[in-house]
Amino acid sequence: MKLLRIGALGEEAPAVLGEDGRVFALSGLTGDIDGAFLASGGIDRARAALAAGELPEVDPAGLRIGAPVARPGKVVCVGLNYRDHAEETGAPVPSRPVVFMKDPSTVVGPYDRVLIPRGSVKTDWEVELAVVMGHQARYLADPADAADCIAGYTISNDVSEREFQLEFSAQWDLGKSCETFNPMGPWLVTADEVGDPQALGLRLAVNGELRQDGNTKNMIFDIAHLVWYLSQYMVLNPGDVINTGTPAGVALGLPGTPYLCDGDAVELSIDGLGTQRQTFRNA
């Protein structure tokens, strides 16, 4: 099942995308697609209501699509999680996951404008598989326990300003938490529909030129391991998001380092999770 949120910024309404492409409102079941909805069996209720024909149809024409999860409590990111990406940036292949946090307010819709920060000369792209938590994960005993805690998956663009990230501070936060730096969506695809999350192709193009073309099978640390590992150090709550890393092909690692400029268009896709597209503009 594919869940989405449609409407103007701050006025998004919850909805579900049917197998035939029609969109149905979930406002009778929940006020939003958030941690409370996911933790309380909301996905099962939505599935049952859709199957029973109880949901009113919505015409999405002309409506904005927002991020598929409202107000994540936290966005946890894993860096250098593809060997080819670590190698292209000159970083050693990590022996443990490289973990950093991203301000949840960076989350915007999949087609929203992304702002290049004032003073930026190294704004970069990163297509990533994002995990959305459906149940709390706290001190999981084994990576095999992770699947029961995952609601589903979506696409994230972990936009990064490399000068802010790598040159201005020993921490990565400055280059990761600029406004609009985490487009997400278009859908939250439930885990049962995704199938094996370690067999998904992911791609990113800039102005129509393919830059990233990878597969989640090449993650250094797989999703089950990441959820288990993170649960040893923090509580993952329903609605929290984990950005799981990006494959090679970012501007930082390309010849000439072709960082993003005003007017550039970036398009991302992951198998089964849809496509998102952003135009970058100067803040």
Side-chain angles (χ1 to χ4, degrees):
M1 189 165 59
K2 297 180 177 72
L3 302 173
L4 67 160
R5 299 169 64 245
I6 52 178
L9 182 65
E11 300 176 1
E12 297 91 344
V16 59
L17 181 66
E19 292 183 2
D20 58 1
R22 292 188 296 164
V23 176
F24 300 89
L26 288 176
S27 53
L29 291 180
T30 180
D32 216 334
I33 299 171
D34 53 15
F37 168 77
L38 297 172
S40 63
I43 289 176
D44 290 338
R45 294 197 304 275
R47 182 180 288 113
L50 179 64
E54 298 172 351
L55 302 177
E57 187 172 355
V58 176
D59 181 3
L63 294 178
R64 170 183 171 272
I65 298 179
V69 180
R71 301 177 298 278
K74 52 183 171 289
V75 178
V76 188
C77 302
V78 181
L80 307 173
N81 196 30
Y82 289 74
R83 186 177 300 272
D84 57 1
H85 175 56
E87 291 172 349
E88 73 170 346
T89 62
V93 175
S95 58
R96 295 164 66 96
V98 176
V99 179
F100 60 95
M101 309 293 282
K102 195 163 191 172
D103 182 352
S105 71
T106 59
V107 173
V108 294
Y111 309 110
D112 288 348
R113 180 179 58 178
V114 175
L115 299 177
I116 297 174
R118 295 178 184 179
S120 167
V121 294
K122 297 182 179 181
T123 293
D124 207 344
W125 58 81
E126 294 189 12
V127 59
E128 307 204 7
L129 176 65
V131 178
V132 178
M133 303 302 296
H135 297 283
Q136 188 181 90
R138 175 179 179 271
Y139 293 118
L140 295 183
D142 190 272
D145 299 331
D148 291 338
C149 302
I150 296 172
Y153 302 89
T154 189
I155 306 171
S156 272
N157 187 354
D158 178 19
V159 185
S160 308
E161 211 299 342
R162 302 302 188 187
E163 186 177 38
F164 298 0
Q165 175 191 357
L166 302 173
E167 301 174 39
F168 287 180
S169 174
Q171 304 293 326
W172 289 4
D173 302 55
L174 293 183
K176 292 289 188 174
S177 288
C178 305
E179 59 181 335
T180 72
F181 261 30
N182 203 126
M184 194 163 72
W187 317 308
L188 168 59
V189 184
T190 54
D192 61 308
E193 182 167 331
V194 171
D196 182 1
Q198 303 301 157
L200 303 176
L202 58 173
R203 294 157 295 276
L204 181 145
V206 180
N207 298 326
E209 183 174 351
L210 185 65
R211 293 297 193 181
Q212 292 184 276
D213 187 7
N215 194 289
T216 57
K217 68 182 180 182
N218 296 322
M219 286 183 181
I220 297 170
F221 305 102
D222 66 21
I223 290 162
H225 181 90
L226 291 176
V227 173
W228 166 81
Y229 180 83
L230 292 171
S231 80
Q232 309 306 305
Y233 301 98
M234 64 186 77
V235 178
L236 299 171
N237 288 310
D240 286 352
V241 173
I242 305 171
N243 288 342
T244 59
T246 198
V250 299
L252 176 64
L254 291 174
T257 56
Y259 292 111
L260 293 165
C261 298
D262 183 63
D264 282 345
V266 177
E267 185 168 294
L268 307 78
S269 64
I270 297 181
D271 292 346
L273 303 185
T275 300
Q276 56 173 248
R277 188 180 190 275
Q278 300 95 38
T279 299
F280 282 67
R281 293 295 185 187
N282 292 329

